Amino acid sequence: MKVDEAIQLLKEHGYKYTGKRMEMLDFLAAHDKYMTAKEILEGLKDTYPNMSFDTIYRNLSLFEELGIIEITELSGEKHFRFTCTHDDHHHHFICLQCGKTRHIDLCPMEHEHVQKELQGYSISGHKFEIYGYCNECNA
């Protein structure tokens, strides 16, 4: 997703695109990785020194509701990133140190073994993530 698409979604759903929301969207778009709310708050403190965690979480919740961001949980803490621009079905490798992601086109749900194991079940969705360390962090 791009920032202008996110702004359009906000408009379509009757939400204002305030300076704080714009800064959050720009910050998320500039960082192609999962980040904690604290990291986002730290990244915006020069522009908005009095911004609270409540403001960050309220906007992140709205962005998730509108499909602007994706959320995962790493080490018991929620991490956020801008929604992928890929329209095709894919999954992610997530670096546990820097939060960078890499797209994985392989889907375990497509394997015969999984389909056989879940035969007769009604699947409404799935999420598949691989965790580890990217080449830069592994060096």
Side-chain angles (χ1 to χ4, degrees):
M1 178 167 293
K2 296 178 183 171
V3 173
D4 58 338
E5 293 171 323
I7 292 168
Q8 187 60 39
L9 273 173
L10 286 167
K11 286 180 188 179
E12 287 172 5
H13 289 87
Y15 293 100
K16 295 178 185 176
Y17 49 100
T18 64
K20 290 178 183 177
R21 285 184 180 149
M22 291 295 300
E23 287 291 329
M24 283 183 70
L25 292 171
D26 286 337
F27 186 78
L28 287 163
H31 297 83
D32 186 25
K33 64 179 190 172
Y34 279 98
M35 296 177 287
T36 64
K38 182 179 181 181
E39 290 171 318
I40 296 167
L41 183 64
E42 284 293 315
L44 300 176
K45 74 177 182 179
D46 289 340
T47 309
Y48 294 102
N50 297 321
M51 188 183 289
S52 68
F53 270 115
D54 186 49
T55 300
I56 294 288
Y57 279 114
R58 193 171 50 252
N59 282 297
L60 288 171
S61 178
L62 172 63
F63 295 164
E64 178 191 18
E65 181 183 315
L66 297 178
I68 294 170
I69 61 170
E70 298 175 3
I71 298 177
T72 195
E73 192 170 314
L74 300 169
S75 303
E77 187 174 12
K78 286 186 178 183
H79 286 66
F80 311 88
R81 79 182 291 267
F82 225 53
T83 295
C84 294
T85 55
H86 295 268
D87 291 332
D88 58 332
H89 180 75
H90 66 280
H91 298 283
H92 294 127
F93 167 87
I94 303 169
C95 180
L96 293 170
Q97 185 166 331
C98 70
K100 288 180 186 172
T101 62
R102 180 175 175 178
H103 298 283
I104 301 169
D105 292 321
L106 177 73
C107 179
M109 295 299 291
E110 296 170 359
H111 286 91
E112 184 179 322
H113 176 74
V114 173
Q115 291 178 3
K116 185 177 178 182
E117 186 78 23
L118 297 173
Q119 188 173 9
Y121 286 78
S122 176
I123 312 287
S124 62
H126 70 278
K127 184 175 184 179
F128 179 68
E129 296 174 334
I130 298 174
Y131 307 101
Y133 298 92
C134 68
N135 292 337
E136 291 85 24
C137 294
N138 211 17

